[in-house]
C-alpha cells in the first residue's frame, strides 16, 4: 500500500523475516516518517531506496482500513466511531496490514538471523557509548554473533569509510529519521560486502536499557505511545499529536 507516495509492504513480522534470504534495504515507515516524507522531497526519494518497508505504527492500521472507503464523506462519518473502536479493539483494522512491525523488534530478529547465518553486524549511530553497549548486549545474547564494529560517528563520509573498511554484512543505522534514510540512500550501493542495511531510529536505546519499553500488555494493545508519553511527556507531546491526530486527518481527508 502507498501512503503519501511511500510504499509500505503488507507483511506480518515473520513473513518479513522470510525476505532476509535476499539483500534488503529496510526502512520502518511510521506516521511521523510519512508526514515528513509528504513535505520533504529528498526524504521521500530516499525512502524509495527501501526494498523492505515495514509498517511501524498503529496509526497505519486505522488509516489503511479507512482508506478502503473511497467516498470521503462516508469516511468522515465513520472516522470517530472507528477511532473509538480502534482504541479498544484492533482486530477489525487488520484488513491491509496484518500487524504492526516495530522496528526495534525486527532489528532484534535481524541480529538473530545474522548470528544464525554467520553474518557480521555493524552498529552505527546513537549517542555516547550506546552503539558499543548495544553491540555488547547482543553479543552476550547471541554468542555466535560476529560484531563487525560500532561507532557513534555522525552521518558523514567518514562514517561510510569506517563501515566499508569493516566489511560488515549487516549494518544498523541509528541516526533517526530522516538522517538515517538519507545516509543509507547515499551510501548503501557503495558497500560491496553489504547484505542488509536498516534504519533503526532509537532502537539501540531500548536494547541497551537507556529507555525502558512499555509493559507487554500495553504493547499488545497498541498503547506503547501512552507509556512513552508517561515517561517523557515534554518530548513526546508533539510526536503523539502528529501520529494520532495530524497523520490520520491529512491522510484520510486532505491527501490526493
Amino acid at each position: 500500500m502507498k501512503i503519501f507516495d511511500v510504499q509500505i509492504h503488507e507483511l506480518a513480522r515473520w513473513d518479513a523475516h522470510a525476505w532476509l534470504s535476499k539483500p534488503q534495504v529496510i526502512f520502518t515507515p511510521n506516521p511521523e516518517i510519512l508526514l515528513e516524507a509528504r513535505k520533504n522531497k529528498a526524504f521521500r526519494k530516499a525512502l524509495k531506496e527501501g526494498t523492505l518497508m515495514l509498517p511501524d505504527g498503529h496509526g497505519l492500521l486505522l488509516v489503511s482500513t479507512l482508506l478502503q472507503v473511497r467516498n470521503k464523506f462516508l469516511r468522515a462519518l465513520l472516522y470517530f466511531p472507528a477511532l473509538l473502536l480502534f482504541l479498544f479493539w484492533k482486530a477489525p483494522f487488520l484488513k491491509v496490514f496484518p500487524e504492526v512491525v516495530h522496528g526495534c523488534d525486527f532489528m532484534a530478529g535481524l541480529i538473530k538471523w545474522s548470528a544464525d547465518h554467520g553474518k557480521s553486524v555493524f552498529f552505527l549511530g546513537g549517542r555516547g557509548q550506546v552503539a558499543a553497549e548495544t553491540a555488547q548486549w547482543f553479543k552476550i545474547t547471541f554468542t555466535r554473533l560476529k560484531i563487525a564494529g560500532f561507532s557513534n560517528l555522525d552521518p558523514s563520509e567518514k562514517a561510510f569509510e569506517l563501515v566499508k573498511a569493516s566489511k560488515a554484512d549487516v549494518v544498523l543505522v541509528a541516526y533517526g529519521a530522516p538522517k538515517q534514510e538519507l545516509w543509507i540512500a547515499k551510501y548503501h550501493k557503495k558497500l560491496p560486502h553489504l547484505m542488509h542495511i536498516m534504519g533503526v531510529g532509537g532502537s539501540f536505546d531500548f536494547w541497551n536499557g537507556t529507555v525502558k519499553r512499555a509493559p507487554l500488555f500495553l504493547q499488545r494493545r497498541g498503547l506503547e505511545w501512552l507509556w512513552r508519553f508517561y515517561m517523557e511527556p515534554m518530548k513526546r507531546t508533539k510526536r503523539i499529536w502528529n501520529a494520532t491526530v495530524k497523520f490520520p486527518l491529512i491522510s484520510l481527508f486532505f491527501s490526493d
Side-chain angles (χ1 to χ4, degrees):
M1 179 179 199
K2 280 190 176 184
I3 299 178
F4 304 150
D5 198 33
V6 175
Q7 180 70 50
I8 309 168
H9 291 120
E10 300 162 15
L11 293 169
R13 179 180 167 191
W14 297 113
D15 293 329
H17 277 290
W19 287 39
L20 297 179
S21 60
K22 296 181 179 179
Q24 303 292 346
V25 175
I26 307 165
F27 294 142
T28 58
N30 61 27
E32 280 193 292
I33 284 175
L34 292 168
L35 284 173
E36 178 64 25
R38 180 174 178 261
K39 64 181 182 180
N40 185 333
K41 185 176 180 180
F43 183 31
R44 192 163 64 249
K45 182 179 179 182
L47 287 171
K48 292 181 186 296
E49 293 286 318
T51 59
L52 179 52
M53 304 290 281
L54 304 175
D56 185 355
H58 286 270
L60 296 177
L61 302 183
L62 174 65
V63 165
S64 63
T65 301
L66 286 174
L67 282 174
Q68 304 308 298
V69 179
R70 298 301 180 185
N71 185 290
K72 287 189 178 183
F73 177 74
L74 180 58
R75 201 185 292 164
L77 292 177
L78 292 172
Y79 175 67
F80 286 107
L83 180 60
L84 289 174
L85 178 63
F86 182 74
L87 291 174
F88 301 99
W89 190 27
K90 299 295 189 292
F93 300 91
L94 304 178
K95 305 293 185 182
V96 178
F97 301 113
E99 65 174 312
V100 172
V101 183
H102 293 293
C104 56
D105 294 328
F106 194 82
M107 184 190 97
L110 176 56
I111 292 172
K112 182 181 185 303
W113 178 92
S114 301
D116 291 344
H117 290 80
K119 305 298 183 183
S120 61
V121 180
F122 196 105
F123 296 76
L124 179 63
R127 293 167 293 181
Q129 298 302 307
V130 167
E133 292 166 359
T134 305
Q136 182 181 27
W137 189 92
F138 277 106
K139 179 63 177 176
I140 293 170
T141 305
F142 304 118
T143 55
R144 290 181 294 172
L145 178 64
K146 299 177 182 178
I147 304 296
F150 46 81
S151 174
N152 64 357
L153 282 173
D154 291 334
S156 61
E157 182 80 19
K158 187 176 180 180
F160 159 69
E161 293 293 348
L162 183 63
V163 173
K164 183 179 179 181
S166 75
K167 299 182 179 180
D169 302 301
V170 176
V171 181
L172 305 173
V173 186
Y175 290 140
K179 289 182 181 179
Q180 63 193 18
E181 289 82 7
L182 292 169
W183 188 89
I184 289 170
K186 183 175 182 179
Y187 291 114
H188 76 93
K189 292 179 181 176
K190 301 177 182 179
L191 295 169
H193 298 277
L194 183 68
M195 184 162 190
H196 303 308
I197 189 166
M198 180 178 178
V200 300
S203 296
F204 290 178
D205 290 332
F206 288 119
W207 289 111
N208 83 336
T210 302
V211 176
K212 186 177 180 181
R213 198 166 178 192
L216 192 58
F217 77 93
L218 288 178
Q219 294 180 39
R220 288 174 174 171
R221 287 163 176 78
L223 295 174
E224 194 164 2
W225 63 271
L226 188 61
W227 172 265
R228 293 185 187 182
F229 177 72
Y230 168 74
M231 297 296 288
E232 302 174 299
M234 297 300 293
K235 179 180 178 180
R236 293 289 172 177
T237 298
K238 182 178 179 181
R239 298 179 71 173
I240 290 172
W241 169 265
N242 285 339
T244 61
V245 179
K246 187 176 180 180
F247 171 69
L249 289 176
I250 292 177
S251 56
L252 290 173
F253 304 118
F254 299 104
S255 60
D256 294 332

